Amino acid sequence: YFEEYLKPRASRGLADLFEIGLLPPLRGIYRNELEPSWDDVWARLRSEIKDTHLDAVLLSHAHLDHSGHISFLNPDIPVVCSSTTAFLAKAIQDSSKGDFEKEVCYTLPREEQGRLLTSRTRQKSASTQRQFCFPHPTLLSSKAQAFWHKAIGSREMRFKHPIASTKAGNLKIKSFPVDHSIYGATAFAVETSRGWVVYTGDLRLHGKTGHKTRKFAEEAARLQPLALLSEGTNIDKEEEATTEEEVMHNAWQKVKEAEGKLIVADFGPRNLERLLTFRQIASECGRALAILSKDAYLLQSLHLVMPEIPDPAADDTLIVYEEVKDVSGWEKELITHYKDKGKTVQPIDMRRDEGNYILCLSFWDINELIDIKPSKGGLYIYSSSEAIDEEQRFDIKRLRQWLDHFGLCPVGVPDPETGKVAEDEQGFHSSGHASASELSELIEVINPRIVIPVHTERPELFLPKVGAQSQVIIPEIGQPIRLQ
Ligand SMILES: [Zn+2]
């Protein structure tokens, strides 16, 4: 129903989301302030309303298709996740434009004005931080605490310090780090009166830390789980997945061939692992990796809980690309800080010295090329999802126009007609999700009595793959699954 320019209206609270059926009809879990007194939002629901109490939310990772709708939950409900996920969630919210669907970490108070819900004036009220719980005891440095408590802009923050917890209500929970295309991804197990119920979150075996996913499967197997909720994004992908190492190797070859020319690397938002892959390539080739301020903000926030992630302010290879625009708030602060350290580069510097940089941009920032004016013969390495839908084909068409205009050579860019990457240009992206054979392998090791496919468009494909070993229950919207 919704897309880039057609969004649920924040001024109508929960109404738009209920009307379309995007939120489940569970009364008692949402933010009261999103139910305006003049509109009975619950009357919009066609399905049966269930009165519900939530002890906690288990958040597997900070991708918005998993975390985004936490925005609508009552901020008193605790969110259980890794410290990495919590810090990424805050950095993502801090650096996004006050979007109604991105209030994952803290809520902006709203009030009724006439027949609209508007955010309250800053002077009048503070943001409310959600209670985050880390399943592993985590010592936060004073710098990390300062980041967590910090409000963006002039609004104050009613902050809540994260607490350690291995329980959700009365239920014992276990957490397992897994490998995915965002740091901090976690699988969970919950001990119920009938046995353990395990949830994979999003995961893969072919990533750099695929061993974590394997270890999760072995440990989950020891619980002899009653049920496994398994992601199945790529259950229809039989071919072997490209690894992050292969991406590094392939991209490196290309970069070496483009000496003296500008190289642009385009990869998915928040894929910091890919960013660090390009950092390594840049470093080996004697180039600097120029990143946008929002990526620098994510990296420096993550560095606070993952010291092995480089702090861009202190790293020899990373530099912040200074877009030609009026900056304010967190971004202004960040740019000033990096500028003082001599860690920014402007388009004009890049033009003068284009062979010295790899620039991390996406299609949505492509107009920066107008300011850089790269010379012909540079590269645009598309290191993003290779499967594109009907709508994205138009974006790819536009992207190719831009590259053509500036004489940049496309590498790994899909063909807008077929939606596929040419055979000899594949291998510049590694999927964040397990392939069909990886999923079968994981489920075989975990050996649950019941498998419940989630996060997939093809749940029925689990049946032929794992149906002989486990009972497969395909979930239906609004239908509870009772585990016996
Ligand atoms: Zn994900």
Side-chain angles (χ1 to χ4, degrees), residues 83-95 105-106 129 140-152 157 159 297-305 330:
S83 54
T84 302
T85 293
F87 272 54
L88 274 174
K90 179 160 193 297
I92 290 168
Q93 184 175 355
D94 284 353
S95 58
C105 214
Y106 47 93
Q129 196 159 34
L140 295 180
S141 67
S142 53
K143 265 189 173 174
Q145 291 186 32
F147 164 77
W148 186 254
H149 297 159
K150 190 174 185 243
I152 290 295
M157 175 88 90
F159 65 81
Y297 190 73
L298 286 192
L299 274 180
Q300 67 179 39
S301 309
L302 201 54
H303 173 73
L304 298 169
V305 277
W330 67 271

Side-chain angles (χ1 to χ4, degrees), residues 60-66 180-182 201-203 432-433 455:
S60 58
H61 61 289
H63 278 151
L64 281 168
D65 60 328
H66 292 254
H180 181 42
S181 50
I182 189 166
D202 285 356
L203 44 58
H433 299 279
H455 203 282

Side-chain angles (χ1 to χ4, degrees), residues 79-121:
V79 178
V80 183
C81 64
S82 64
S83 54
T84 302
T85 293
F87 272 54
L88 274 174
K90 179 160 193 297
I92 290 168
Q93 184 175 355
D94 284 353
S95 58
S96 63
K97 295 187 182 80
D99 192 328
F100 176 53
E101 293 173 280
K102 288 184 186 153
E103 296 181 15
V104 176
C105 214
Y106 47 93
T107 63
L108 307 182
R110 289 193 164 70
E111 66 182 356
E112 293 184 18
Q113 267 190 10
R115 288 178 72 78
L116 295 176
L117 286 176
T118 56
S119 38
R120 278 197 219 169
T121 54

Side-chain angles (χ1 to χ4, degrees), residues 194-198 218-227 446-449:
R194 305 275 172 189
W196 286 92
V197 176
V198 179
E218 286 157 10
E219 289 181 10
R222 267 181 237 131
L223 302 174
Q224 298 183 313
L226 168 63
I446 297 171
N447 193 22
R449 278 203 358 237

